[in-house]
Amino acid sequence: AATVTDGTLPGLGGALGPAHLQRYPAVPVQTVILGGGSPHTATTNVNYPPATLTVTGSGGLSIDLVLVPGGVFTMGQTNTSGGVDELTALPTHPVTIGKAFYMAKFPCTQAQWVAIMGSNPSTFTAANDFTPIPGLPADPLFLRPVEQVSFDDITTATTGYLDLLNAAASASLTSQLAGATFRLPTEVEYEFACRAGTTGESNYYFNPDPNTDLDPTVPTDSTTIDGYMWSITNSTNASYPAGFTQLVGQKPANPWGLYDIIGNVWEICQDDWHDLYDVTSEYPGTIGPVSSTGVTLLAPSTDIAWVDSPRAANRAFRGGSCQHGQHYGQSKARGTDVHTMRSATDGFRVVLQLP
């Protein structure tokens, strides 16, 4: 058997195959190492999924997706400076994403929700036929994030958004995408996608200096952060002093092409809430490393969802919102609410799990 490696594209070393799908749609040159022989160079075309994808369905459904690569990263708090400490993001630990996945380019919009569910529950909509809200910028295409939806509204079998979405989109998922399914991201996947390969001491993916950190309490840093996320500092007006959602896609995308990955609305993840990454075995059935004291630490070490049995009442949220502070824009930052909660600041985005 031959071992196929890719040394020609940055960051893509290692064995290739279905378990290690990469970000790029093709690998033009690979080195094939044959048993008992010297390395030989061969030209091969690998049928990777495309780097971007649009899935359509009935009711005018259209979801743009970006391929997120597999890889390894350091999850949690990597640095603290004034005003940015996040104690729930401890301890820092390595995590492996074993397989690439697609993530929606934007949070689920009101249009995408209405296409599947038939009605718009959102608070902040100027185009809602039933409860128009004066004073908001026009949004005739329903391009604000959907909110006032709970984890249960999204995930309930048969009647929830995800099951209905998978049924509506199945005709579009053919060939190499046959069998792919939409779901919520795990916390690990969300932080990995948010960081987008950025490393160093910064907890904001857009920090121009990776060896320092931005501090929202410093005016110049706060102005920088405003350029990348919607938070309480830039999402208010006289009618809505507590903050309101904005049309998706107005701030720059992160390096992997994901918009509003921080700010605008909190985004619900699959995971049950855990106050820290080093809780003990009171939460059984979850993987994690073992410490020097022999206590099982349950911090996620792969891209699986961290789910208790029986399930906890609260779910993990990521990204911050238009009604919260800029420190929630850190890639490490976490939030939580109960699985039945509906709020004007809570939304979600989907991922497409490859078969």
Side-chain angles (χ1 to χ4, degrees):
T3 299
V4 182
T5 59
D6 166 30
T8 63
L9 295 177
L12 299 186
L16 303 176
H20 295 278
L21 295 167
Q22 304 293 349
R23 185 173 179 79
Y24 300 93
V27 176
V29 179
Q30 300 169 336
T31 298
V32 181
I33 304 173
L34 302 176
S38 301
H40 300 276
T41 299
T43 299
T44 309
N45 183 32
V46 178
N47 189 27
Y48 291 139
T52 60
L53 177 70
T54 298
V55 174
T56 58
S58 57
L61 175 71
S62 180
I63 300 178
D64 294 328
L65 300 149
V66 175
L67 188 66
V68 176
V72 178
F73 79 109
T74 299
M75 185 173 185
Q77 180 158 285
T78 58
N79 185 40
T80 61
S81 60
V84 299
D85 195 31
E86 289 293 330
L87 296 180
T88 63
L90 293 170
T92 300
H93 54 283
V95 179
T96 298
I97 307 292
K99 183 177 179 178
F101 59 94
Y102 282 103
M103 177 173 269
K105 184 181 291 187
F106 308 105
C108 180
T109 65
Q110 295 172 22
Q112 291 167 342
W113 182 269
V114 170
I116 297 299
M117 305 299 284
S119 61
N120 188 352
S122 304
T123 297
F124 300 115
T125 173
N128 191 320
D129 291 337
F130 304 101
T131 55
I133 298 176
L136 289 181
D139 181 18
L141 300 180
F142 295 83
L143 294 182
R144 279 187 172 79
V146 70
E147 13 89 7
Q148 296 289 3
V149 295
S150 69
F151 176 89
D152 288 358
D153 294 331
I154 300 163
T155 64
T156 297
T158 307
T159 60
Y161 180 82
L162 289 174
D163 272 10
L164 295 174
L165 171 62
N166 281 313
S170 60
S172 294
L173 300 174
T174 59
S175 186
Q176 67 189 121
L177 297 175
T181 55
F182 286 103
R183 57 171 173 80
L184 290 175
T186 67
E187 266 204 280
V188 166
E189 289 170 337
Y190 198 97
E191 182 167 333
F192 180 67
C194 181
R195 291 184 181 275
T198 57
T199 59
E201 292 300 311
S202 180
N203 290 296
Y204 293 90
Y205 71 78
F206 49 83
N207 187 1
D209 183 357
N211 297 315
T212 64
D213 211 345
L214 296 171
D215 184 345
T217 67
V218 176
T220 54
D221 286 356
S222 178
T223 299
T224 298
I225 296 169
D226 267 352
Y228 289 87
M229 71 176 291
W230 296 111
S231 72
I232 189 64
T233 67
N234 61 0
S235 301
T236 65
N237 61 20
S239 299
Y240 300 95
F244 58 94
T245 61
Q246 310 291 328
L247 277 65
V248 301
Q250 296 186 85
K251 297 296 186 182
N254 81 351
W256 287 351
L258 299 167
Y259 290 84
D260 298 285
I261 195 71
I262 57 173
N264 218 352
V265 289
W266 283 103
E267 300 193 24
I268 305 170
C269 295
Q270 287 189 49
D271 306 58
D272 289 343
W273 173 253
H274 302 85
D275 289 340
L276 293 167
Y277 294 134
D278 61 351
V279 295
T280 61
S281 58
E282 64 183 295
Y283 300 103
T286 313
I287 66 168
V290 177
S291 73
S292 58
T293 62
V295 177
T296 301
L297 305 181
L298 301 179
S301 59
T302 71
D303 46 0
I304 67 167
W306 197 4
V307 174
D308 299 334
S309 180
R311 294 212 67 166
N314 279 34
R315 300 292 178 265
F317 288 53
R318 287 294 185 131
S321 85
C322 60
Q323 294 186 358
H324 292 85
Q326 293 176 324
H327 63 287
Y328 287 114
Q330 298 172 97
S331 302
K332 65 186 180 184
R334 308 170 68 215
T336 183
D337 221 326
V338 296
H339 64 97
T340 56
M341 174 59 70
R342 294 170 178 151
S343 167
T345 61
D346 294 349
F348 69 100
R349 79 176 67 208
V350 295
V351 300
L352 183 68
Q353 180 173 317
L354 292 165

